[in-house]
Amino acid sequence: MRKTALIALTIATCWLAMGGAETSALDPCCVGSTGDMNGDGVVDIGDLDCIVSPLFFGIWPPNCCMCSEECDINSDGSMDISDLQMLIDFLFFGANLPNCPF
């Protein structure tokens, strides 16, 4: 499990470092707050799969993280366990999500 999580984290970090989804400054993919990882327009329980699967199982569900800014919830440059914690805090404990970096 530990090795799988490390591999998934490495893949996610590399993907984000390479720019993730291509966006332009004139057409930002992240609008409002971060966290809409599956691109359906709302931040809900469905977005959890988009972060849990790659981090712990090395599997990227379809239509997830097409916008790297949405998946890097805390805007620290990588998708990691701290982004998962922020999403859980929002969904289950009423915390606020940060605004998009644009």
Side-chain angles (χ1 to χ4, degrees), residues 76-99:
D76 68 352
S78 64
M79 185 178 75
D80 54 27
I81 199 78
S82 62
D83 298 304
L84 174 60
Q85 182 63 51
M86 291 185 86
L87 185 59
I88 289 170
D89 287 348
F90 170 77
L91 292 173
F92 299 106
F93 303 109
N96 292 320
L97 290 173
N99 292 329

Side-chain angles (χ1 to χ4, degrees), residues 6-60:
L6 181 59
I7 291 169
L9 181 59
T10 302
I11 291 169
T13 302
C14 290
W15 183 77
L16 287 171
M18 291 187 301
E22 293 296 322
T23 60
S24 86
L26 299 176
D27 186 24
C29 61
C30 185
V31 178
S33 66
T34 58
D36 180 21
M37 297 183 179
N38 60 9
D40 66 355
V42 295
V43 180
D44 58 15
I45 197 82
D47 297 300
L48 274 177
D49 188 37
C50 290
I51 193 167
V52 170
S53 291
L55 285 178
F56 296 104
F57 306 112
I59 300 167
W60 286 93

